[in-house]
Amino acid sequence: MKKGDDLRTIDFGIDLGTTNSAIARQMGVHTEVIGADGDVLLPSIVHIGADGQVMVGREARARRADDTTNVAQEFKRLMGTGEQVPFSNGRSYSPEALSAEILKSLVRRAEASFGSPIDAAVITIPAMFQLPQCEATRRAAALAGIAQAPLLQEPIAAAIASVGSAELRDGYWLVYDLGGGTFDVSLVRSRGGRLQVIDHDGDNHLGGKDLDRVVARHVVGLIRADGRIGAFERNDPVYAETFGRLRLEAERTRIALSDAESADLHVEAPGHAAFAVSIERSELERLIEPILGRTVQICQAILARNRLQAAQMNRLVLVGGPTQTPYLKTFLAAQLGIETRHYVDPTQAVVIGAAIYAATQKVNVSRSVSSEALSAEIAYEAMTNNPRPMIAGKLTGPRGPGAWLVGVVKDGESEPRAWSPVRDNGSFALQLDLAENRLSAFELVAQCDGKRQPLTQASFVMVHGTTIAKPVLSQSVGVMLADGFVRWYLRKGSVLPARMSQTHATTFRLVRGQSGVAVHVPLVQGESEQGDRNTVIGEIRIAAVELSRDLPAGSEVLVTLGVDEYSTTRAEAYIPALDMTFSDIVTFGLATQSGEKLQDALEDQKKRLSELERLVTGLEGPQNDVDENVQLIDDLLKDGGADERLQAGDLLRKMALMIDAIASGDRVSELAQRFRDSHARSTQLLRDGDKEIARELEAITSEFFDAVNRSDLDIAAARLKAAEAVEWRVLQREPYFWRDLFEDLLLKVQQSPRAAEGIEPIEAGKQAIIRNDLSGLIDACFALLRLLPETVAIPAAVMSHVA
């Protein structure tokens, strides 16, 4: 927002990236990515000299070669941790402080272009960012002077930028977002202009940086094999700057191989002649294929989880600079069988989508408007499928007597198409004509007795053809209990904003005024019922000094946790025995472990796997995945940096889950995943008045996981069937469900051997949709279901009700 002008919407969007960042502004129907010195991308690099002078972007990047230890980059992957980035001048800075310098530089760039201070902007985050990372991003914005900074998931921003293509107007598609430091994949459904992100997956420690890392490791291996330098270890301070330059050379070489068939990489080590290594494009492809394979596995998992086949995908939309690697498109198309394309410049798609979204977000930071100015309060739907929507409003400020009229001037026109009278109380209503399937810009104008009157806060935009459903939570949030298991508050896939309350009991007597924390519960994100298989993201705590009196063991504590659509978290606790409410009880922070502890944890998991190999046969497939993880973790621990340790910890949790799955058997994993999916869908559809159904589902959930923990798979299967029956009951109330189901069944029947038998029910279903005849549509769906074999992927809750 520009302070003091007439903008009512935020209009500025920022892509705060690991490698590069950018800022864009939506101006009417046009999106401008704001550049400086001919470059719209700002390298996310900060140099802080011995005198404390800060350089950002290209200037900082230019210092990487000659002042490596005073240059920070790729710090986005440390957001939300307690890690500090050290500089050789003796100072250390938090990742959010460094991110704030990037944001300040972007804001200055925009202010220089538009001439006014900016204190509001939409900032994008990876979909798989955990809550502490979201909070750290907000802190960075505040440090940069951005008072209003709603967060938008990057794949949603990319989808907004891409959805203008007619090819993406309807159907399912994947947004494959491979950035410099993170990987996200989002399953998107677009139907009739309604854009809905159905599911997210990804890896916060997988990106272009990791492609560079494998190139650097390859070169290090060649240098060690040569023998002239010896061990050539990264943790040797003699070679600190050499390894820094090597990473830069690896990045330069990888990018060069996008255009050339071969490139030379140069390494200079103190006291030794420079090494020159020639790398062929085919060699690069071999090196990066395992990393690309990890992204493919994540894509396959999200499709399987949503019971979708590659053939049902319209497109795979590529986003992020590393997706310009030629081999990536070939590899993805071969592995997934989905056409891959860049619909928008992959380095700008996110910031463009953020700016478009920002134009639909109203400003809520305080600003002064002259009481002498005539202004307008306008109520409208910023995104709509209605080509002729109504807006309502009210003129505020000194109006004076006379016959007042208002109208809207569309971008590119000079006069309103029609005028509408203003009522005595200042209110009015107008009908608009929107440009089809794109953004339209308007300005409200007023006149009195035929003379145009100045009007502030009069500009607004509306987008036709696209509406955005509320975002979904990308990872479940819960608390780790004393027994090591998790009690979930909000499950993956919950539509945001979401809020849940849970009652806990204190495990020991709490004494008022005692030192330390009276209530201390770890907060986790992940999907495992075992607490230590998830990421600890912080803790819920109440200081003992805040208690008004002693509390016996077993006292109730009602904790309420909520996450809004911008990933802002709020939590409070109510203790009935004290009749006291405690606010702001969550302290966020992603913990990093030492290399020694991680190495010990790795050895423990190796022992578990060795024992399983002795007891169980047929482990070849899962064991190969575990072995790959072991090698990756070993390599990361050798690299030794904070980011590498975070990534190693994440891989260790995944490795433990793989071994858990082997130990408990495939059936348990399948039942648990089916139950979570069904539970998430049911929860999303429950309404305010569905308290009885919610209690029933809560009881089924408790019984299901009790059965799983006892390894009683028969009871678990029965409870899964009961949960799917609840899902069916809530689904069948939703008209859109029957329309969606009919469209899916129509396609499946037409491709089946019994297609001829489906002609009559298909026609009956189409007519029922035209007549808005829900009963007839349901009959048509059941008729089509009976024509399909049991092997077709239809939800079990539906199939169980087919007569």
Side-chain angles (χ1 to χ4, degrees), residues 608-619 662-663:
R608 286 186 67 207
L609 183 62
S610 177
E611 181 65 15
L612 281 170
E613 288 172 351
R614 188 177 64 81
L615 297 174
V616 183
T617 59
L619 289 182
I662 297 168

Side-chain angles (χ1 to χ4, degrees), residues 493-656:
S494 298
V495 177
L496 302 178
R499 181 181 171 93
M500 177 65 75
S501 297
Q502 300 266 16
T503 299
H504 301 271
T506 58
T507 55
F508 52 87
R509 181 171 177 263
L510 303 178
V511 180
R512 180 195 177 199
Q514 69 187 39
S515 61
V517 179
V519 176
H520 174 215
V521 185
L523 194 65
V524 300
Q525 271 194 280
E527 309 306 325
S528 175
E529 301 305 316
Q530 286 186 252
D532 61 357
R533 301 297 189 255
N534 303 291
T535 303
V536 177
I537 62 171
E539 57 190 21
I540 294 174
R541 56 165 62 183
I542 300 173
V545 71
E546 296 183 48
L547 301 179
S548 61
R549 63 174 184 272
D550 296 355
L551 274 179
S555 296
E556 285 189 357
V557 180
L558 178 66
V559 176
T560 301
L561 183 75
V563 180
D564 71 12
E565 60 192 289
Y566 306 120
S567 298
T568 304
T569 307
R570 297 283 184 267
E572 64 178 28
Y574 174 67
I575 301 180
L578 303 178
D579 192 23
M580 292 182 67
T581 298
F582 303 86
S583 301
D584 300 323
I585 59 172
V586 172
T587 301
F588 282 118
L590 293 171
T592 53
Q593 293 180 292
S594 67
E596 292 77 10
K597 285 188 176 181
L598 289 168
Q599 191 66 56
D600 290 343
L602 178 60
E603 294 305 318
D604 289 342
Q605 295 303 325
K606 286 180 181 178
K607 290 176 183 177
R608 286 186 67 207
L609 183 62
S610 177
E611 181 65 15
L612 281 170
E613 288 172 351
R614 188 177 64 81
L615 297 174
V616 183
T617 59
L619 289 182
E620 190 60 34
Q623 184 181 347
N624 288 341
D625 291 338
V626 173
D627 289 343
E628 282 185 19
N629 262 17
V630 169
Q631 185 59 54
L632 277 171
I633 295 167
D634 276 334
D635 290 340
L636 288 165
L637 292 179
K638 287 175 184 175
D639 286 344
D643 176 55
E644 285 78 11
R645 284 185 280 112
L646 274 172
Q647 188 173 354
D650 188 48
L651 287 171
L652 265 169
R653 283 187 292 274
K654 292 176 181 176
M655 177 179 171

Side-chain angles (χ1 to χ4, degrees), residues 80-92:
T81 71
E83 293 288 334
Q84 296 283 309
V85 180
F87 289 75
S88 63
N89 60 18
R91 299 174 180 169
S92 294

